[in-house]
Structure formats: structure tokens, C-alpha cells
Amino acid sequence: MEERHKRILQRNRVNLVSELNPSDMYDGLLSKGIFTQDMIDEIKRSGTRRDQARQLVRDLETRGSRAFPALIECLREKGQHSLPDLLLAGEPQSQPLPLPVHVRPVVRPLPVCKYAYVVKYHLIKVVMFITAPEREFGKPRATGRVRRDSIQSYKMDASPCGHCLIINNVDFEPQSELNNRTGSNIDCDKLEKRFQSLNFIVLVKRNLKQKQIRQELSALSKKDHSQCDCCVVIMLSHGTEVSHNRFPGAVHGVDGPNVPVQLITNYLNGQNCPSLQGKPKLFFIQACGGGERDTGFEVTPDEDRPCIGGTDDQTDAMPMSSSSDSLSTPSDEPDARATLPTPSDILVSYSTFPGYVSWRDTQAGSWYVETLDNVLEDNAADNDLVTMLMMVNHEVSQNSAKGVYKQMPGSFNFLRKLLYFQVLPCQRPIQA
């Protein structure tokens, strides 16, 4: 598909998902050779009408230059005239869909030897031209493999989409022996506005002790999430490395003691929060994963880029300690192994690789949050969450603190489907 047509589909994705009736499109797109029956069946298996519409639009982008005009024709044939008018607004008048051309090879006598190279070149061109349509439309795909574009998407159309709890620890008590986190309020304000724009009810809590952090998480787990599609927890604090068997790291209360990340995730698992079963639970951790400082390694010139870190960069680090693994039975054994299955529908995004410090600019906020906010602003309408987190990883990896130290974010992903955020056309805050 031409790039301009891809951009049109991406720009109008929300309207297409909302108004398109995929069942009206299947026969037409099949008869026009855009999809095979196997592809139609995969789209039907993606879930609700909205899920099918989203999948159909994504698949169309991979089906060649005839896919866009074929979609326009099918919409008009089924009387859905508003969508073609929307898609063609400002575009040149579309031409009628060309009929498929059946090409037969021409057998010619071989020329003399000195033209062998030219003949070989033309033979290759002919073979590719003839066999490509057969491979694309004729042969059934192997059923044992799952294509990325056939993965289902989470339902994310509830309004509001869900709850978002932000815990922002800035001012630490003297006995904690932890520095105040200057610049964290900038991070908090950015994320509060960003998740409001993604249709979440955002609740911000500031300067919580360890016990208060656990109380807020417990209160969140006791809410009725049955009418919501997702839940988000954001932790902005000092962090440390701890013993674990699932999710590494811990975050500190302003009084000093920490709450392990795997304990934080346990509050929202299927056992402790039944109304979130099967729904995505997202955790964003802006805190150090340990005390090591990464000096990076030399790369080739085309991989190098000027650093943007400054002299005001600080870390969110504390030495390693041990942690508990469950809500009810604490354990300090480094090699303990959980008896519960691996958690599903959970994603934990860390600002830094386990064991390393995380950098924060006192004037602009943390590298991780600033980049995450920018990536969500520019890409949430078109890309899934995991793809956007890879963008964050790449951008943060280009920074340098004090001209020396590096940072590499990462995530533990137990999601079963693609996750696309809602993007509100009118970014009106939702009150908690």
C-alpha cells in the first residue's frame, strides 16, 4: 500500500474502528483478491466487532497498492458512504480498481552467449512477477505459526478506561538517609496529564511512607474494576535492588523502608483483585534498580549520537536489601520459588536495567518519564504499548549523564494481547 494511503488509514483509525462493519467487507475484499479465506478467518477470530475492524485496517496496510481503492469500493457497495468520503477528503479523485492481469510467460530461443547475463536478468524478473501472486493469494499459510498481525488486542474502549494511581515521593525524612528527589514533581505532572488524556481516572498521592504505600495499593485492589478495561500504577521514588523470584527491585517510602515491586504487582493479581482478571495491569517504575553506574561501551559512528544529559543529573539509588514475595507470607530466602503460576496480563516497565541507577534531571525531570511522555503523545494513536516502550528504550539509551553514564530501561511483559490506548479527541481531565 502506498505510504499516503497508510497515513490516511492511521489518521482515521479511530473513526474506522468505531463505524466500520467488518462483516460487510469480507466478501468484497475476498472476491477482489485482497484477502484469502484464511486471512478473513483470522480476522473473525480476533474478537468483537471493534477488534475485527482494528485488525482488518492493520492487515489492509500489508496487502499492496490495490487494497485502499478496494476498501473504498466495498464501502460504497455496502452503502457506507460517510467513511469513503472521510478517507478521500483532500485526496485526488480515485481511479476505478484495475482488473487483475493474468500474465503468461513468453518462450523465446536463447540468444548467443554474450547476452547470457541480460537473459538471466529478464528470466528472474518474469519468474518473480508470475510466482509472487500465487504465493500471496493462492497458497494457504501454515496453520502452526502465529503472525504478529493476527494477535488479538485487549478491549480498551470503556469510558473511563480505568484507574491510574501515581505515588510521587519527593521529600524524604532525615532518618531515611535518602536525598529529596528534586524534579520528580515535573514527572508527576506530565504523567497525570498524559493518562488523563488516555481516558484514565488519575489519583496522585505524594510523600507516602511504606505503610501508606501499601494502604493505597490495597484500596486500589478493593475497587470495583468491572466496568473498566485496564489499571495503571506509577511509582516515582528512590529504589533499590532486592531478592526476588519474579519482578526485581523495590521502591522506598519517605520514611526509608521499601515495598518490593513483586509485592506491588500482587495487590492487583487475579486472586487479590478479581474484577481485573483477564485485564491488563500496567506498572511504571521510575526508581533505581540498584547501585551500579553504567558507563556504556564504544559504538560505530553511525550508532553514536550527542548526549543530552546535564550536570544536574541525580540518581534514585539505594543499596541492595531482601524482600517478601507475597502479601501474607514474607520470605527472606534469596532462592525462594513461588508456587503460583506466572502472572498473566501484567507488564512492569522499569526506568533502568535491574541492578543499575536511574538518572533524573533536577530541572527537566527523569530521562525515562520525559521520554515516555513524549512517545505516548506522538504514537499512542497508532502504536501498541510494547512497540512504544521499545521506542522509549532506544531514546533513553542515547542519553549520557555527566558525559559518562548511561541508562537502559526495560520491561517484564506478561501481556497476552496487543494493547492500544484510547486517545481522547478532547483531552478533558477526569476527576478521581
Side-chain angles (χ1 to χ4, degrees):
M1 179 177 291
E2 296 181 19
E3 284 301 320
R4 62 190 181 95
H5 289 154
K6 287 184 181 180
R7 288 195 294 270
I8 291 173
L9 292 181
Q10 292 166 0
R11 190 167 58 244
N12 293 281
R13 187 190 299 272
V14 173
N15 290 322
L16 286 167
V17 171
S18 175
E19 300 178 25
L20 181 64
N21 187 355
S23 60
D24 288 344
M25 301 290 103
Y26 293 144
D27 289 342
L29 293 174
L30 184 62
S31 65
K32 291 175 171 58
I34 303 302
F35 289 141
T36 64
Q37 187 59 54
D38 284 347
M39 298 183 71
I40 296 293
D41 292 340
E42 276 191 4
I43 296 173
K44 289 180 178 178
R45 287 194 295 269
S46 62
T48 64
R49 181 200 62 79
R50 292 176 65 92
D51 292 333
Q52 293 183 42
R54 184 180 292 110
Q55 191 65 53
L56 186 148
V57 173
R58 282 205 299 269
D59 283 0
L60 276 173
E61 296 180 11
T62 69
R63 303 310 298 165
S65 60
R66 298 176 61 248
F68 186 81
L71 173 66
I72 298 298
E73 282 195 10
C74 290
L75 288 169
R76 285 176 171 161
E77 289 170 0
K78 294 298 181 179
Q80 299 186 37
H81 297 291
S82 60
L83 285 176
D85 293 343
L86 178 67
L87 296 175
L88 294 176
E91 287 293 305
Q93 186 65 32
S94 60
Q95 300 296 322
L97 187 67
L99 295 175
V101 178
H102 301 283
V103 180
R104 295 181 179 275
V106 178
V107 180
R108 295 178 179 174
L110 291 175
V112 291
C113 192
K114 66 179 180 179
Y115 294 110
Y117 178 78
V118 178
V119 173
K120 181 178 179 182
Y121 171 77
H122 285 293
L123 284 173
I124 291 173
K125 285 188 67 177
V126 171
V127 170
M128 290 178 63
F129 184 72
I130 294 169
T131 59
E134 180 183 357
R135 183 184 69 240
E136 188 170 354
F137 301 118
K139 294 183 180 179
R141 255 191 332 276
T143 57
R145 297 182 180 178
V146 179
R147 295 179 351 192
R148 173 177 169 81
D149 61 5
S150 69
I151 300 176
Q152 295 185 14
S153 302
Y154 282 106
K155 178 181 179 296
M156 290 286 287
D157 56 4
S159 187
C161 187
H163 293 274
C164 173
L165 172 64
I166 302 178
I167 295 178
N168 180 29
N169 285 349
V170 180
D171 304 312
F172 286 77
E173 297 177 359
Q175 69 270 20
S176 71
E177 299 183 353
L178 293 167
N179 295 326
N180 291 341
R181 299 181 60 257
T182 307
S184 186
N185 286 329
I186 299 172
D187 289 345
C188 184
D189 292 343
K190 288 179 180 177
L191 292 175
E192 180 180 9
K193 293 175 183 176
R194 180 59 51 210
F195 279 89
Q196 285 174 344
S197 74
L198 299 176
N199 204 13
F200 282 85
I201 301 173
V202 180
L203 175 63
V204 177
K205 293 292 182 177
R206 292 180 170 85
N207 296 328
L208 299 187
K209 299 180 180 179
Q210 180 213 41
K211 183 177 180 180
Q212 293 172 321
I213 292 175
R214 297 183 64 159
Q215 288 173 343
E216 289 298 329
L217 292 167
S218 178
L220 179 63
S221 72
K222 293 174 182 177
K223 288 181 180 290
D224 181 9
H225 300 267
S226 58
Q227 300 302 311
C228 300
D229 289 336
C230 183
C231 188
V232 176
V233 174
I234 300 172
M235 307 295 298
L236 310 173
S237 186
H238 283 295
T240 187
E241 191 174 8
V242 296
S243 313
H244 65 91
N245 57 25
R246 271 201 301 274
F247 300 108
V251 295
H252 288 277
V254 294
D255 55 341
N258 64 64
V259 182
V261 172
Q262 60 188 37
L263 181 62
I264 293 171
T265 64
N266 282 351
Y267 277 98
L268 300 182
N269 66 20
Q271 180 180 357
N272 295 298
C273 189
S275 60
L276 280 175
Q277 290 179 356
K279 300 176 181 180
K281 280 102 34 198
L282 312 178
F283 300 85
F284 298 90
I285 312 297
Q286 167 53 46
C288 280
E292 291 192 55
R293 298 190 177 196
D294 184 7
T295 56
F297 59 91
E298 290 189 11
V299 296
T300 54
D302 60 331
E303 288 287 335
D304 195 13
R305 203 173 81 174
C307 65
I308 63 171
T311 57
D312 293 328
D313 292 319
Q314 299 179 352
T315 70
D316 287 328
M318 268 292 285
M320 179 178 177
S321 63
S322 49
S323 80
S324 63
D325 176 52
S326 87
L327 295 175
S328 55
T329 57
S331 170
D332 292 329
E333 298 178 14
D335 295 326
R337 288 293 177 266
T339 57
L340 295 175
T342 302
S344 62
D345 307 299
I346 286 178
L347 182 143
V348 182
S349 175
Y350 292 90
S351 62
T352 189
F353 192 80
Y356 286 85
V357 299
S358 179
W359 292 95
R360 169 176 35 83
D361 189 295
T362 58
Q363 305 297 320
S366 67
W367 296 358
Y368 169 74
V369 170
E370 181 180 19
T371 307
L372 176 64
D373 179 58
N374 290 337
V375 168
L376 288 172
E377 180 179 18
D378 295 338
N379 299 278
D382 302 316
N383 288 283
D384 67 279
L385 175 60
V386 173
T387 299
M388 290 188 286
L389 289 178
M390 284 192 288
M391 299 178 187
V392 173
N393 294 352
H394 174 71
E395 291 299 321
V396 173
S397 71
Q398 306 300 305
N399 298 351
S400 294
K402 308 181 190 301
V404 177
Y405 300 114
K406 309 292 290 184
Q407 180 177 329
M408 185 69 230
S411 60
F412 283 63
N413 178 16
F414 293 95
L415 299 180
R416 297 176 295 112
K417 306 177 183 180
L418 299 176
L419 189 149
Y420 291 88
F421 285 116
Q422 292 185 38
V423 179
L424 296 178
C426 177
Q427 299 184 359
R428 186 170 47 194
I430 302 175
Q431 301 298 324

